[in-house]
Amino acid sequence: MKDLSAAEGDGAAVLANDALMMAHREDWLVRETIGMLRRTLGRLDVSSRSMFAMIEPGSCFAGTLFELALAADRSYMLAAAEDEATLPRIALSELNFGLLPMVNGAGRLAARFHGDAKKLDDLKKLCGQQLGAEDALDAGLVTVAPDDLDWEDEIRIAIEERVSLSPDALTGMEASLRFGGTENLLTKIFGRLSAWQNWVFIRPNATGEQGALKIFGKGSKAKFDWERV
């Protein structure tokens, strides 16, 4: 599992940098920079690991860096704390609307909302605004927004849930969820669940001596190899 909570810094500075890149996106250096960002983020989309984004005090999920949260399988945003001034904020920029697509050519926001043009138009109106947890949740931009009382338990349960499942099964499941919607060649390779099923079911984590299928119904707990996924 990967934790993307390391996105830290000044969200306003990220938005200003995004605005600068948008204004000069025809410049060769900016084109190369955007292309490198696109390729780097694309490697997350095809990762075989589960990814959770933890949006908490000190986080900087704004504009380009918000793509990390969109690439994650779930995003958790702290909704309440003793010091309201420290609560995290997220923000969108123009770069979130098509310039940093996934490997299948779809933007992460577009994929999240199944290409709903009206929803995407509504989200464009929020560009540059610092959104708290409640607004982010209402907009569908984060998965869960626990308060400080539930935060640690929510994260613990989520991680325990993940590690109870076969890493091979998770690979197939996460991939099929990341590449939903209109199919093309890449979604058939990375996203279609049927493309993963035979692979998952013949892996040692399923059919080995301690695999999930081998001991199903025997009351024992499967032992998974977490080194190969």
Side-chain angles (χ1 to χ4, degrees), residues 106-138:
R108 291 174 188 83
L109 272 180
R112 186 179 186 88
F113 297 103
H114 303 285
D116 186 335
K118 183 179 183 305
K119 178 64 176 179
L120 293 174
D121 286 341
D122 290 341
L123 290 174
K124 282 184 181 179
K125 299 174 185 176
L126 299 178
C127 279
Q129 297 183 30
Q130 297 286 338
L131 304 177
E134 184 176 345
D135 291 334
L137 192 61
D138 288 344

Side-chain angles (χ1 to χ4, degrees), residues 35-96:
M36 183 65 72
L37 286 168
R38 182 177 64 249
R39 291 188 291 273
T40 301
L41 290 165
R43 295 185 67 179
L44 294 178
D45 298 322
V46 296
S47 171
S48 62
R49 304 287 184 176
S50 292
M51 297 180 292
F52 292 170
M54 309 302 181
I55 308 172
E56 50 194 342
S59 293
C60 183
F61 289 94
T64 299
L65 294 183
F66 186 63
E67 292 289 318
L68 294 173
L70 293 174
D73 303 301
R74 292 185 194 175
S75 51
Y76 291 80
M77 187 171 183
L78 185 64
E82 291 183 4
D83 184 0
E84 294 289 324
T86 66
L87 286 176
R89 298 286 187 270
I90 65 168
L92 299 174
S93 75
E94 290 186 73
L95 265 72
N96 296 123

Side-chain angles (χ1 to χ4, degrees), residues 129-192:
Q129 297 183 30
Q130 297 286 338
L131 304 177
E134 184 176 345
D135 291 334
L137 192 61
D138 288 344
L141 294 173
V142 296
T143 311
V144 189
D147 59 24
D148 53 347
L149 294 176
D150 294 329
W151 179 261
E152 290 188 5
D153 282 339
E154 288 278 358
I155 303 304
R156 175 183 58 80
I157 291 170
I159 294 174
E160 287 178 355
E161 173 194 59
R162 277 300 193 267
V163 299
S164 71
L165 299 174
S166 163
D168 301 324
L170 281 174
T171 296
M173 182 181 74
E174 306 293 21
S176 68
L177 291 175
R178 290 173 192 163
F179 295 99
T182 304
E183 276 203 332
N184 58 27
L185 178 61
L186 284 169
T187 64
K188 291 177 181 178
I189 296 171
F190 291 113
R192 186 187 287 179

